Amino acid sequence: AAVPEEKAGGWGFAFTPAAAGRYRIFADFTPRATGKELYASADFMVAGAAEAKAATLQPSAAKPWSADVSGHEFHLSAEPLPIAARQPFTADLSVDGKPAPAGTGLVLFDPAATGLVNLRGSADRPGHFALTIPDSGPYVAWAVVPLEGRDLYAPFALTVAP
């Protein structure tokens, strides 16, 4: 989590890279002057003996769109299926068989991790998201769910049809 720094307008966070290689950090912020949410990103290299290969999500054939994180089972469903480029759809997230709690978010990254969509559910349906993805291809969706006093992150591999 980001925390304010002593310098006005500055924010800091702690990050320990898992391996050498290229990393991309995204920031989501809302300037007071405009009141509009903005995103920024920065790439940086971590030196080391050998660069790690980027992880690839391998969905389970038995439990597609499911993830087990810290003893909790996350499940993402979508309608209509298949998800198609430029066609609106809804996604619903459940945790341990119940609707996701308040404060839940869903972040989608495009195949090159050059852009993202950061969604928040509504107050009455925090795990319900309506969206349209512009291009076909593989995407990674990360559910961000506040549980047990911390945020848990559950990854899902999505394929968007043309």
Side-chain angles (χ1 to χ4, degrees):
V3 294
E5 293 182 340
E6 289 181 25
K7 180 181 164 187
W11 289 82
F13 64 95
F15 171 68
T16 304
R22 182 179 68 89
Y23 287 82
R24 178 167 290 143
I25 300 263
F26 289 90
D28 170 0
F29 57 97
T30 305
R32 279 189 210 160
T34 64
K36 296 188 187 258
E37 190 172 30
L38 298 174
Y39 297 94
S41 67
D43 290 353
F44 64 94
M45 290 295 295
V46 173
E51 291 187 17
K53 285 183 150 183
T56 303
L57 290 178
Q58 300 297 328
S60 162
K63 294 185 350 180
W65 291 8
S66 292
D68 293 316
V69 178
S70 296
H72 296 280
E73 185 169 323
F74 295 77
H75 181 74
L76 188 67
S77 61
E79 192 174 300
L81 290 175
I83 297 171
R86 297 171 300 287
Q87 299 299 315
F89 71 98
T90 59
D92 287 282
L93 180 71
S94 64
V95 181
D96 298 327
K98 300 174 189 162
T104 292
L106 190 65
V107 182
L108 279 81
F109 291 91
D110 67 9
T114 57
L116 67 99
V117 174
N118 186 4
L119 303 166
R120 293 281 174 203
S122 63
D124 60 330
R125 294 180 70 189
H128 179 79
F129 308 93
L131 62 154
T132 303
I133 298 177
D135 299 311
S136 62
Y139 288 78
V140 176
W142 286 88
V144 183
V145 181
L147 286 175
E148 302 166 351
R150 62 189 174 123
D151 285 340
L152 296 181
Y153 300 88
F156 302 96
L158 306 179
T159 300
V160 177

